Amino acid sequence: MKVVLVGSDPDGLTDALEAEGHTVTVADVGNRPGLEEAGVHDADVYLLTEMAQATSIAVAKDLVPKIRVVVYAEGSLPDFASRQTDLVVDPNLLSPEAVAEEL
């Protein structure tokens, strides 16, 4: 599975995903150029790790309407982003390895 991860990765989510056989590209900023450069058009999952970049969910869904959106971060999403998100996971509840395995 191809995953585009947006945001920082202090928990080692990229390593856990790659260990499960997923291909991961990282975009530091979830704007249109950043997502396109990271290969969002070919991705199966958009994985956000920073609530501050929640607006990028709308950009990802605009570029790839069928992409699966997963948020792995503490905090709450704005309403508009919640409606476009498939799964929200609190890092305090599930390890990166558990998330990678479930994807």
Side-chain angles (χ1 to χ4, degrees):
M1 174 181 317
K2 291 182 140 189
V3 178
V4 170
L5 186 143
V6 172
S8 61
D9 186 14
D11 299 315
L13 194 53
T14 300
D15 292 338
L17 290 163
E18 289 174 345
E20 285 292 325
H22 303 299
T23 303
V24 181
T25 54
V26 177
D28 292 328
V29 179
N31 59 17
R32 185 180 188 106
L35 293 176
E36 288 179 335
E37 187 175 313
V40 74
H41 291 290
D42 298 322
D44 303 297
V45 174
Y46 174 77
L47 182 54
L48 181 67
T49 61
E50 294 177 2
M51 290 293 188
Q53 294 198 54
T55 56
S56 66
I57 293 170
V59 176
K61 290 296 267 187
D62 183 52
L63 291 169
V64 186
K66 293 186 179 190
I67 199 163
R68 191 167 152 204
V69 176
V70 177
V71 176
Y72 186 72
E74 293 182 38
S76 298
L77 283 170
D79 287 340
F80 75 89
S82 292
R83 290 188 297 270
Q84 296 179 313
T85 301
D86 298 296
L87 179 64
V88 179
V89 179
D90 185 330
N92 295 314
L93 299 177
L94 283 178
S95 69
E97 293 77 19
V99 172
E101 186 178 312
E102 291 303 317
L103 285 180

